């Protein structure tokens, strides 16, 4: 019996994209395709690159994490599917078997082994991208865009790396140094530059639905993380100076703060939602994969702080992000996808039942991270993870409007909110 189950699970993990689509008729095929493209990455052919119009399309702008080929090149920022689903995906070396973006019969298409799967569009370039702040910095280096939101990465350093305890899948510091050297991006954003760029971005009608801030953790201060909180408050107040009302649609992805720190963020700024990423929903794996978070806060306290944040920001406005699939990393991760899924969803239910949402991104083993040589799980795994998280939100009637396909676009599980 156990052997039969094991064989069945192995078979599931080898299913092709079309087989996975047949296995999950309740999940939109384009959302499944998004997951597989994020899982495997993309390669742009010469024809695909020659279809880029720099006056219309958004080229890769500064980002907090690096790409799978560890290069900074003027390629399309990313892709949109024909139903508006956004795919956040990096250029990937051909030997890793990525999807291929090509031009066939005048259309930009996504192909796999020569077969055309879908037409795709490059992301549209925002109106403010080529403008400069009064201090002379290119505005796309201050705020970067997704099809639906504005991203502010206020600092590209994470203090967990100071004693080499950064998260094992993360390449923030390697990538930050590369962006500083090759693009000359500022080490830390100035509130005035952020104010001016936001003012310009908001002039574009009908495009942006939310503002997201994130950066590495900063452990410094009278209480640990006080400096991180202070800087976020400064930047949020600079953003808020553009609005006539106190609150504006916004998400902060940051360290797990104390109630005192969270109350300051809520009361002194226009922030409307708060996310502190546990990254992996298992205490032992958290200790191994996120040693800095474990050292400074710990898994249980991190969870407690998330639960307490619901009292401050309100139900439906607090979440934790996980790096979907990293729970299978070798050698300490789960040996089977079945066990990994069951454990992750059980822990997710504990959080969701207490008002803390859980959303995943697809784990990409990046070359600048410790997990560079690992392999992410199967497509079937990611589809079941997306379904499982979505079903838990439905079970507990917990909305995730602030981080769904309209405001974020990077979580396959919150793409499923459109089914409600
Ligand atoms: S907290 Fe972890 S994932 Fe976030 S920037 Fe620091 S090392 Fe990277």
């Amino acid at each position: 019996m156990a052997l039969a189950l094991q064989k069945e699970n192995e078979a599931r993990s080898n299913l092709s994209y079309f087989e996975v689509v047949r296995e999950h008729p309740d999940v939109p095929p384009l959302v499944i395709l998004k997951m597989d493209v994020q899982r495997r990455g993309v390669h742009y052919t010469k024809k695909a690159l020659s279809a880029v119009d720099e006056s219309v399309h958004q080229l890769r702008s500064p980002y907090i994490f690096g790409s799978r080929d560890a290069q900074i090149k003027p390629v399309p920022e990313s892709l949109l599917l024909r139903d508006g689903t956004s795919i956040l995906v990096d250029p990937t070396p051909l030997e890793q078997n990525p999807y291929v973006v090509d031009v066939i019969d005048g259309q930009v298409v996504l192909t796999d082994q020569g077969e055309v799967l879908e037409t795709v569009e490059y992301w549209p370039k925002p109106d403010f991208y080529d403008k400069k702040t009064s201090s002379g910095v290119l505005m796309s280096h201050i705020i970067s865009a997704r099809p639906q939101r504005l991203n502010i990465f206020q600092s590209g350093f994470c203090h967990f790396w100071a004693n080499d305890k950064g998260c094992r899948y993360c390449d923030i510091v390697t990538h930050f140094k590369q962006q500083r050297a090759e693009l000359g991006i500022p080490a830390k954003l100035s509130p005035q530059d952020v104010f001016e760029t936001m003012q310009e971005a908001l002039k574009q009608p009908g495009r942006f639905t939310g503002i997201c801030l994130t950066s590495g953790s900063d452990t410094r201060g009278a209480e640990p993380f006080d400096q991180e909180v202070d800087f976020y408050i400064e930047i949020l107040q600079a953003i808020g100076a553009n609005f006539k009302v106190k609150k504006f649609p916004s998400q902060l992805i940051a360290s797990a703060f104390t109630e005192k720190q969270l109350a300051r963020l809520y009361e002194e700024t226009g922030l409307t939602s708060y996310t502190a990423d546990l990254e992996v929903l298992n205490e032992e794996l958290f200790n191994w994969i996120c040693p800095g978070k474990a050292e400074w806060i710990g898994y249980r306290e991190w969870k407690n702080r998330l639960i307490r944040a619901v009292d401050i920001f309100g139900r439906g406005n607090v979440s934790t992000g996980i790096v979907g699939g990293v729970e299978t990393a070798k050698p300490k991760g789960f040996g089977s996808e079945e066990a990994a899924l069951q454990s992750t969803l059980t822990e997710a239910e504990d959080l969701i039942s207490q008002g803390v949402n859980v959303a995943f991104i697809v784990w990409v083993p990046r070359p600048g991270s410790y997990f560079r040589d690992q392999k992410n799980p199967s497509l079937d795994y990611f589809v079941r993870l997306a379904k499982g998280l979505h079903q838990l939100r439905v079970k507990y009637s917990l909305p995730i409007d602030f981080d769904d396909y309209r405001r974020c676009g990077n979580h396959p599980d919150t793409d499923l909110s459109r089914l409600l």
Side-chain angles (χ1 to χ4, degrees), residues 64-65 158 160-161 165-167 169-172 215-217 279 293:
I64 194 156
F65 302 119
C158 176
F160 294 147
W161 286 101
K165 292 197 170 165
C167 304
Y169 54 80
C170 174
D171 65 352
I172 187 171
S215 62
S217 288
E279 320 288 10
K293 294 185 179 203

Side-chain angles (χ1 to χ4, degrees), residues 120-186:
V120 286
E121 284 179 48
Y122 299 140
W123 288 6
K125 179 166 137 180
D127 293 349
F128 71 91
Y129 249 39
D130 292 334
K131 299 188 174 161
K132 288 190 172 173
T133 64
S134 58
S135 67
V137 184
L138 201 58
M139 288 188 172
S140 64
H141 288 186
I142 304 293
I143 297 180
S144 52
R146 287 189 187 166
Q148 58 286 73
R149 85 172 185 194
L150 296 162
N151 277 329
I152 300 167
F153 307 125
Q154 59 186 30
S155 149
F157 189 73
C158 176
H159 287 254
F160 294 147
W161 286 101
N163 59 349
D164 199 28
K165 292 197 170 165
C167 304
R168 290 335 194 198
Y169 54 80
C170 174
D171 65 352
I172 187 171
V173 177
T174 326
H175 184 57
F176 168 65
K177 287 182 185 159
Q178 190 183 4
Q179 288 191 126
R180 287 278 293 151
E182 295 181 28
L183 299 177
I185 62 157

